[in-house]
Amino acid sequence: MQNFTFVSRAQRVLFGAGTLQQTAAELDAIGARKAIVLCTPQQRAQAEQVADLLGARAAGIFDGAVMHVPIETAREARRFAAQQGADCAVAIGGGSTIGLGKAIAFDSGLPILAIPTTYAGSEMTPIYGLTEAGLKRTGRDLRVLPRTVIYDPQLSLGLPVRMSVVSGINAIAHAAEGLYAADGNPVMNLMAEEGIAALGRALPAIGRDAGDVQARADALYGTWLCGSVLGSVGMGLHHKLCHTLGGSFNLPHAETHTIVLPHALAYNAAAAPEAMQRIARALGGTYAAQAVYALACDNGAPLALKDIGLQAADLDRACAIALENEYPNPRPIEARALRQLLQNAYDGVPPAA
C-alpha cells in the first residue's frame, strides 16, 4: 500500500482550436475589467491579436518578457501594470512570458489568464522563478497559479519544429521527475505517463508536418498533463541542475532541459526503477534515459551543453552551485558523480544503459 496526499488545484482550462476567441468572456469569468497583455518582443503580433479581441478592456501591451525572468524586468512590468490600472494580466507565449505574469501576480495579486503557445507547462503550476545577481531562485505560491488557461493548438502552428521539440522534452522532464518524486501519488503517476506518451507521439509528427493540428493538439494535451505534475509534486536533481545552468550561465531554458534530462535519468535509474519503466514504456523504448536521448537525437534537438553556450571552465562552478542546497532526489547527490553527469551533458555523449 502506498500512503500519499493528493491536493487538487482550482483552475479553469479551455482546450481546443479557436478557443482564443473566448478570451474576453474568460475575463468576465474571473471578474476582471482591464488587462495588460504580456509577451516577448518576438510575439508582439499575437499579443496585438489578443488586445484586439479585448478591445477597450486591453490596458496595453508589455512586450519585454525574457528568459529566466530577471528581477529588473519583473519590476518594470509591475510598474507598467500599476500605471495602466490593470486588474488582470493576460500572458501569451511560453515559459518566459507566463513566468513574467507570475512575477506580477506574486507582488500584486493580479490574476493571470495564460495562453501558452509552447509546451513548457508553466501555466499549470504555482511555481515562480526570478533571476537576480546571476542566481535563479524558485518558489511555490498559489497567488501565481493562472486562474484560467486557454489551450488553442492553432496558436502553436508557427512554433518552429526545433523549438517545438525542445519545448516538448522540457515538459517531459516535469513528468519524468514527478514519477520519482518523494511526495508523488498514483494520480500524478497516471498523468505523468500519459503526458509523456502524448508528447512522444506528437513531437515526431510535428517534425514530419509542422502544420499538423492534431499533432499540435496532442502536444498541448501532453503539456497540460506534464505541467499539472510539475505543479503538484516536487522535482529533483534534473530541475536543480537546469535552474543552475539557466540562471547562473544564461543558457536557453528548453534546450538545457532537453540536454540534461537523459543524463539525470541515467544518474537516478538504479534508484527509481519503476519510474524508469514507466518513462521507457511511454516512449516505446527499453531504457528511459536512452529513449529520451533518442527522441531528442532523432528530431534534431541539441545534445550537448557545449553547443548552447556553456564553457568547459563553467562545469566546476555549476557543480558547486548545484551542491549548495539539499533537495529530494531518489539517489543521493554525490559530487564526483554529479560532476561526471555534467561532463557527459557538456560533451553530448549517449547516456549509459
Side-chain angles (χ1 to χ4, degrees), residues 76-204:
E76 184 182 355
R78 290 165 184 163
R79 285 193 296 270
F80 181 80
Q83 290 166 358
Q84 302 303 313
D87 63 356
C88 177
V90 177
I92 181 165
S96 298
T97 302
I98 293 169
L100 180 59
K102 289 180 173 183
I104 295 172
F106 182 71
D107 184 63
S108 66
L110 257 63
I112 307 167
L113 190 158
I115 308 173
T117 60
T118 69
Y119 309 130
S122 174
E123 63 279 356
M124 296 306 300
T125 82
I127 301 170
Y128 65 89
L130 289 166
T131 299
E132 184 173 11
L135 292 175
K136 186 173 183 178
R137 62 180 179 87
T138 61
R140 288 176 179 260
D141 194 301
L142 285 176
R143 287 178 294 177
V144 311
L145 182 70
R147 298 276 190 90
T148 298
V149 180
I150 295 177
Y151 285 111
D152 187 338
Q154 292 179 336
L155 297 175
S156 60
L157 290 173
L159 188 66
V161 169
R162 183 179 183 275
M163 179 51 66
S164 299
V165 173
V166 295
S167 181
I169 296 176
N170 177 16
I172 286 173
H174 309 328
E177 288 226 294
L179 283 167
Y180 53 64
D183 56 350
N185 63 72
V187 177
M188 289 302 112
N189 290 348
L190 290 171
M191 295 177 73
E193 187 169 350
E194 173 71 3
I196 293 170
L199 282 159
R201 294 191 306 269
L203 298 182

Side-chain angles (χ1 to χ4, degrees), residues 40-353:
T40 62
Q42 295 78 17
Q43 289 185 288
R44 175 88 190 193
Q46 286 184 315
E48 289 174 349
Q49 184 182 2
V50 172
D52 288 345
L53 288 171
L54 296 179
R57 300 174 70 179
I61 296 173
F62 183 90
D63 64 0
V66 293
M67 284 193 309
H68 308 305
V69 195
I71 189 69
E72 298 81 9
T73 303
R75 288 169 178 160
E76 184 182 355
R78 290 165 184 163
R79 285 193 296 270
F80 181 80
Q83 290 166 358
Q84 302 303 313
D87 63 356
C88 177
V90 177
I92 181 165
S96 298
T97 302
I98 293 169
L100 180 59
K102 289 180 173 183
I104 295 172
F106 182 71
D107 184 63
S108 66
L110 257 63
I112 307 167
L113 190 158
I115 308 173
T117 60
T118 69
Y119 309 130
S122 174
E123 63 279 356
M124 296 306 300
T125 82
I127 301 170
Y128 65 89
L130 289 166
T131 299
E132 184 173 11
L135 292 175
K136 186 173 183 178
R137 62 180 179 87
T138 61
R140 288 176 179 260
D141 194 301
L142 285 176
R143 287 178 294 177
V144 311
L145 182 70
R147 298 276 190 90
T148 298
V149 180
I150 295 177
Y151 285 111
D152 187 338
Q154 292 179 336
L155 297 175
S156 60
L157 290 173
L159 188 66
V161 169
R162 183 179 183 275
M163 179 51 66
S164 299
V165 173
V166 295
S167 181
I169 296 176
N170 177 16
I172 286 173
H174 309 328
E177 288 226 294
L179 283 167
Y180 53 64
D183 56 350
N185 63 72
V187 177
M188 289 302 112
N189 290 348
L190 290 171
M191 295 177 73
E193 187 169 350
E194 173 71 3
I196 293 170
L199 282 159
R201 294 191 306 269
L203 298 182
I206 290 170
R208 293 189 293 270
D209 179 5
D212 185 337
V213 178
Q214 183 58 56
R216 295 292 186 177
D218 286 344
L220 283 177
Y221 170 64
T223 298
W224 174 10
L225 296 175
C226 293
S228 296
V229 174
L230 173 65
S232 299
V233 301
M235 297 288 107
L237 172 64
H238 169 78
H239 281 74
K240 174 64 175 181
L241 286 177
C242 291
H243 290 155
T244 296
L245 292 167
S248 298
F249 303 96
N250 200 37
L251 299 188
H253 182 81
E255 288 86 346
T256 302
H257 274 274
T258 297
I259 293 167
V260 171
L261 182 59
H263 303 286
L265 293 178
Y267 183 99
N268 282 326
E274 182 179 346
M276 300 305 155
Q277 290 171 6
R278 284 179 174 269
I279 296 164
R281 181 169 62 214
L283 294 175
T286 303
Y287 300 103
Q290 288 76 9
V292 172
Y293 186 89
L295 182 65
C297 183
D298 294 347
N299 290 282
L303 301 173
L305 292 174
K306 64 183 180 182
D307 294 334
I308 63 168
L310 192 70
Q311 304 299 310
D314 295 331
L315 291 172
D316 287 339
R317 180 168 170 246
C319 185
I321 294 172
L323 288 166
E324 284 179 356
N325 299 305
E326 291 187 14
Y327 43 92
N329 192 68
R331 176 182 170 184
I333 307 303
E334 304 161 7
R336 182 175 295 181
L338 180 59
R339 180 60 177 79
Q340 186 61 55
L341 184 165
L342 285 166
Q343 187 68 52
N344 292 343
Y346 177 80
D347 293 330
V349 299

